[in-house]
Amino acid sequence: MKTNGASTSFWLASAAMPSFAPLAGPARADVCVIGGGMAGLTTAYLLSREGKSVVLIEAFELAAGESGRTTAQFVPPDDFYCEIEKSFGAEGARKVATSFHVATDLAETIAKTEAPDCGFERLDGYLYCLPGQDMKVLAQELDSATKPGVEVERLANVPGLPFDTGPCVKYVGLGQFHPVRYLAGVANACSRQGVAIHCNTRALDIQGNGANQIVQTAHGDIQANAVVVATNTPFMDRVVMHTKQSGYRTYVIGIQVPRGSVPRILLWDTGDPYHYLRLDSPPSASSTDTLIVGGADHKVGQDSHPEHRYGEIEQWVRDRFPMAGAVTHRWSGQVMEPADKVAYFGRNPMDQGNVYLITGDSGTGMTHCTAGAIAITDMIMERPNAWADLYDPSRKATHGLGDFVKEQANTLAQYKELVTGGDVDEADQIKPGEGAVLRQGASKLAVYRDESATLHVRSAICTHLGCVVAWNSAEKSWDCPCHASRFGVDGEVLHGPAAAPLGPGKFRGS
Ligand code: FES
């Protein structure tokens, strides 16, 4: 199945999504949902249960984006309740706690009714401090999480592990599942409920106003009263949302451990970037479980050869779990980090009408996507929602200003690549299976040499706001260091905010 990168996740290697035919001509619906991952499918599912007619379109196949690359955990905010309380007050932390609680409950209910094979299970999670870090954060988190009623306790260490974590916060009753099996169930339920799902149908633009929206595709226009953009990051506004969040790549390995040797828990630390861990057990009798461990994040487009990050995670595992066996899977995914540490879902700030978006999911995509789907369903059904105001994408970034300034400075610094040389001087320095940026006169070219030595040449200028893209050898893609767009070796958009492919490259010589 074609996805937005060359690596294949444990989930997509172990289950299949249903596929649906592309749009066959103009269509009309109450709501057009753009994006066939967790956010889009859950929104379509909820709205169709309310009696709305829904068309859902997806540029590739369902779950081919970040929902197929997640580690599929329902965990607390990865910036901690104490940070949210500092920025948004106790009331803000309470709204986050409520939204996370309701979202996890809803996913559990959907799992039971629509995807009983997805292995949804409740389990406890543990946050521990790295050596040398200030333990005060654990006390602060305990205090801030307790106030809104999150079930937490402090322990001297995480029980049952082969290494001593030291003091930790235990969160009771979190969740995990197999995301592809879950989304397959939701997609099939959507289809039964009358949702018209079309794969391989890319939204090119959204035009219109009020309740008269038109989503343009190469297969025909879709008219709708409302549009929900659930594409991980929105593609239709060029600036506003992209100064409010930053894209990071995160790396995951699946590594075998003897069955039962690692407790069924969720685990993460206070590092930056932090490590996160869960377990998956095959439904059939097997002598091994798969330990799924992630981390080693970096800004999108700012490491052209990131494969060493898999090795770093593997070493981290082997240092702590000496019984670990073979690495069976390696993959990477993308997380959008909101500047003020709270996700964005609600009305598009550029429109304030009937276009809605879900983005800024950080490391809690499954929870945020579900909470966002609930909030947007409430908004479209014109009823109150208990937390939508906190997540409003129009809010000003008055919190986390230090991080905001740092991220913007990092973005601006990337534009220097417009005037520097290339990664290589000549195309014959590029080995088969590798890519490099090459300067040719005033232009920069993104040059990929495939395994049969054929060159694929595109402009290296990102079609979003003109940064120079960088090679990503782990995913065989061109990644933009400014606002995290990604493109395939033939220029196709793999991840927004860019909406148009890389332009043609005029390459002289080979
Ligand atoms: Fe904005 Fe590339 S993603 S310039």
Side-chain angles (χ1 to χ4, degrees):
M1 171 174 136
K2 179 174 168 50
T3 71
N4 68 357
S7 68
T8 301
S9 72
F10 176 84
W11 318 114
L12 285 167
S14 56
M17 286 298 293
S19 186
F20 296 84
L23 186 68
R28 168 98 189 86
D30 294 331
V31 183
C32 177
V33 175
I34 304 171
M38 185 72 172
L41 282 166
T42 308
T43 306
Y45 175 80
L46 295 177
L47 284 168
S48 58
R49 281 204 322 193
E50 300 277 359
K52 294 288 186 191
S53 62
V54 180
V55 174
L56 182 149
I57 57 172
E58 160 59 47
F60 298 113
E61 295 288 337
L62 302 179
E66 302 316 316
S67 296
R69 295 175 173 275
T70 172
T71 48
Q73 310 168 36
F74 291 83
V75 288
D78 54 0
D79 284 301
F80 313 145
Y81 283 107
C82 57
E83 289 299 320
I84 290 171
E85 184 182 349
K86 268 185 219 158
S87 297
F88 294 91
E91 181 61 9
R94 189 189 62 74
K95 286 178 181 173
V96 169
T98 302
S99 65
F100 276 43
H101 178 76
V102 173
T104 308
D105 281 356
L106 175 66
E108 183 175 31
T109 301
I110 293 174
K112 274 188 192 136
T113 53
E114 313 295 357
D117 65 339
C118 78
F120 186 101
E121 65 180 298
R122 293 282 187 171
L123 68 182
D124 298 332
Y126 298 85
L127 165 69
Y128 70 98
C129 252
L130 290 183
Q133 288 197 325
D134 190 346
M135 295 275 177
K136 266 195 315 207
V137 68
L138 297 182
Q140 290 166 349
E141 177 65 355
L142 207 62
D143 179 55
S144 297
T146 303
K147 285 184 219 162
V150 179
E151 201 176 334
V152 283
E153 65 177 300
R154 185 181 171 108
L155 299 180
N157 52 43
V158 178
L161 291 177
F163 67 100
D164 184 8
T165 60
C168 63
V169 175
K170 172 185 176 184
Y171 301 77
V172 175
L174 306 182
Q176 69 174 24
F177 61 8
H178 189 304
V180 173
R181 292 202 181 104
Y182 177 86
L183 289 175
V186 176
N188 287 328
C190 282
S191 186
R192 287 195 302 274
Q193 288 167 193
V195 177
I197 302 176
H198 298 290
C199 298
N200 298 299
T201 303
R202 181 182 294 277
L204 302 174
D205 200 3
I206 304 169
Q207 300 283 343
N209 52 53
N212 188 16
Q213 300 290 337
I214 297 173
V215 176
Q216 296 173 338
T217 82
H219 308 265
D221 290 350
I222 302 167
Q223 286 187 299
N225 303 120
V227 179
V228 180
V229 179
T231 50
N232 194 253
T233 195
F235 66 94
M236 70 294 182
D237 104 52
R238 289 181 75 76
V239 178
V240 175
M241 290 312 300
H242 312 300
T243 56
K244 295 184 171 197
Q245 58 182 353
S246 305
Y248 283 77
R249 299 300 297 172
T250 187
Y251 295 80
V252 186
I253 64 169
I255 187 166
Q256 290 183 327
V257 290
R259 192 148 200 169
S261 65
V262 176
R264 301 193 72 77
I265 59 169
L266 303 176
L267 183 74
W268 62 103
D269 61 40
T270 54
D272 183 18
Y274 64 99
H275 290 94
Y276 47 96
L277 172 158
R278 62 164 288 183
L279 203 65
D280 187 87
S281 301
S284 57
S286 165
S287 61
T288 57
D289 292 329
T290 301
L291 193 58
I292 293 169
V293 186
D297 304 12
H298 66 88
K299 280 202 84 170
V300 174
Q302 298 189 19
D303 187 350
S304 283
H305 294 90
E307 291 86 347
H308 63 98
R309 294 169 191 269
Y310 294 127
E312 288 162 17
I313 297 171
E314 181 180 343
Q315 193 56 54
W316 183 91
V317 174
R318 295 201 186 282
D319 287 346
R320 289 160 182 79
F321 299 90
M323 72 293 243
V327 174
T328 56
H329 297 81
R330 292 181 179 86
W331 74 96
S332 70
Q334 190 149 321
V335 290
M336 300 305 297
E337 293 288 353
D340 60 8
K341 310 196 187 308
V342 167
Y344 304 103
F345 38 79
R347 286 196 157 86
N348 177 23
M350 297 302 292
D351 179 274
Q352 283 303 305
N354 285 13
V355 178
Y356 301 84
L357 54 86
I358 299 174
T359 190
D361 294 320
S362 194
T364 50
M366 297 297 96
T367 320
H368 275 147
C369 289
T370 308
I374 296 168
I376 287 173
T377 299
D378 285 342
M379 294 170 89
I380 290 174
M381 298 309 294
E382 298 183 19
R383 62 192 177 215
N385 177 276
W387 58 79
D389 59 333
L390 178 76
Y391 291 100
D392 183 358
S394 296
R395 70 179 185 269
K396 298 271 183 285
T398 52
H399 313 292
L401 279 176
D403 287 348
F404 175 79
V405 169
K406 201 169 78 187
E407 293 288 3
Q408 295 313 308
N410 179 287
T411 297
L412 283 175
Q414 305 311 316
Y415 281 95
K416 75 175 186 318
E417 287 298 322
L418 287 167
V419 294
T420 59
D423 303 331
V424 294
D425 297 325
E426 303 290 342
D428 56 14
Q429 294 173 259
I430 303 171
K431 295 189 182 116
E434 273 292 324
V437 172
L438 203 147
R439 174 166 288 286
Q440 188 171 258
S443 57
K444 278 202 156 181
L445 301 176
V447 183
Y448 170 65
R449 186 184 295 278
D450 69 22
E451 299 293 350
S452 61
T454 303
L455 290 178
H456 302 249
V457 185
R458 307 296 298 189
S459 163
I461 304 304
C462 176
T463 55
H464 176 229
L465 290 175
C467 271
V468 178
V469 295
W471 178 239
N472 175 345
S473 59
E475 297 297 346
K476 301 269 186 276
S477 62
W478 297 107
D479 296 2
C480 181
C482 285
H483 312 101
S485 291
R486 296 181 55 245
F487 304 86
V489 292
D490 287 322
E492 176 185 31
V493 176
L494 300 178
H495 192 285
L502 292 176
K506 295 194 182 79
F507 184 60
R508 296 190 296 273
S510 63

